[in-house]
Amino acid sequence: FRFSHAITRAPAASIARGLRAVDTGTPDLARMQAHHADYIAALRSTGATVVELGPLDAYPDSVFVEDTALCLPEGAVVMRPGAPSRLGEAAEMAPQLEALYSRVRRIEGAASFIEGGDILTTETEILVGRSARTNAEGIAELARIVADWGHTVREVHTPPGVLHFKTDCSLLDGETILATERLDASGCFKGYRVIHTAPGEEAAANTIRFNDIVLMPAGFPRTRDALVAAGYDLREIGNSECAKLDGGMSCLSLRF
Ligand code: CIR
């Protein structure tokens, strides 16, 4: 959770056509831009360099850069998103990573699909949730690549009806995970300390620990209070517009 860099991409006007499981209304671009600016300011407040990429109108979901790559200290891996409308976003991200990393590998198998939102990197392992977007072939291909860099992948499951593994969890520090009860019940976090989101506040699970702060979506007071009581330095960021597209804090950046 110590990072010197983040990459973000400005939301495009086409965001109105972004993917969503349930239609709860069209996201408002101006409000999303304001939330995005607050998010970037919070990342920068820790001293990190934030690379801000321009909007890509051809890809309505391209603000959710996390899904296009996995960034590790040793190198970056370009994903193959399982959402057909998002495949091209990974190719757009590859040259940006090549400019910042000496080692960039790619998920290439025609049958391999994997999105960054399904990947939780802890201090000791990389958990990857199988989901509607991430399949066994994609996970196996990632495991082979990162093994060369000394990392171990553990395949886990994203709960049914949940978009990504990290929709329901996030890393708070070296040994602590914030997770929904439904995900923790699967047993995938044995050996970690787990803090649960408050009942009814499952949408608070997707936070990011970024250097000394934790960015969390605004509007989840009981989970916020639990995290404050546990000693975390929180920044609440408006997420109403990204939430309409099933997006949260982690989706909005690549961190390394
Ligand atoms: C999608 O369905 O792909 C986007 N509307 C949301 C992606 C959120 N990304 C993430 O959780 N990493």
Side-chain angles (χ1 to χ4, degrees):
F1 55 87
R2 296 269 154 215
F3 304 106
S4 57
H5 287 78
I7 301 178
T8 63
R9 186 180 291 288
S14 60
I15 194 78
R17 301 196 307 275
L19 298 173
R20 65 207 78 173
V22 178
D23 197 356
T24 59
T26 304
D28 180 86
L29 178 62
R31 194 171 303 141
M32 189 184 284
Q33 285 166 332
H35 291 162
H36 201 250
D38 291 344
Y39 179 88
I40 290 168
L43 297 179
R44 278 213 176 106
S45 74
T46 71
T49 300
V50 181
V51 178
E52 293 183 65
L53 303 177
L56 285 179
D57 220 44
Y59 299 105
D61 286 292
S62 54
V63 67
F64 303 116
V65 283
E66 170 176 68
D67 295 317
T68 65
L70 174 65
C71 291
L72 295 168
E74 300 82 5
V77 185
V78 181
M79 300 285 116
R80 251 178 77 75
S85 67
R86 303 199 59 192
L87 248 185
E89 290 175 36
E92 293 281 348
M93 188 55 74
Q96 307 295 338
L97 295 168
E98 273 154 3
L100 292 158
Y101 269 106
S102 57
R103 288 195 279 199
V104 177
R105 308 266 307 260
R106 285 176 174 69
I107 303 290
E108 289 170 331
S112 298
F113 294 102
I114 182 163
E115 297 191 355
D118 281 314
I119 307 177
L120 181 75
T121 305
T122 77
E123 305 281 279
T124 52
E125 59 179 345
I126 299 175
L127 283 80
V128 189
R130 246 209 248 196
S131 72
R133 302 286 183 83
T134 294
N135 64 12
E137 290 89 338
I139 299 173
E141 195 170 334
L142 178 71
R144 286 195 295 276
I145 292 172
V146 301
D148 291 346
W149 300 338
H151 293 277
T152 308
V153 164
R154 175 155 63 97
E155 183 176 321
V156 290
H157 283 274
T158 300
V162 174
L163 175 61
H164 285 129
F165 184 66
K166 267 188 310 195
T167 305
D168 267 31
C169 67
S170 37
L171 185 77
L172 290 172
D173 59 36
E175 67 260 7
T176 314
I177 309 269
L178 174 68
T180 60
E181 283 193 48
R182 68 185 166 205
L183 177 58
D184 189 27
S186 73
C188 62
F189 298 127
K190 260 191 213 103
Y192 292 93
R193 180 166 82 112
V194 180
I195 298 177
H196 289 153
T197 51
E201 292 191 351
E202 286 71 20
N206 182 263
T207 71
I208 51 170
R209 174 73 191 264
F210 191 81
N211 297 322
D212 288 336
I213 63 175
V214 175
L215 282 71
M216 76 171 288
F220 302 100
R222 284 170 302 139
T223 305
R224 177 200 58 208
D225 291 350
L227 294 178
V228 168
Y232 296 102
D233 184 4
L234 291 187
R235 299 289 184 282
E236 289 179 278
I237 308 285
N239 193 52
S240 57
E241 306 316 296
C242 289
K244 292 173 185 166
L245 303 177
D246 309 316
M249 294 294 110
S250 74
C251 330
L252 295 173
S253 58
L254 287 166
R255 303 162 292 277
F256 52 99

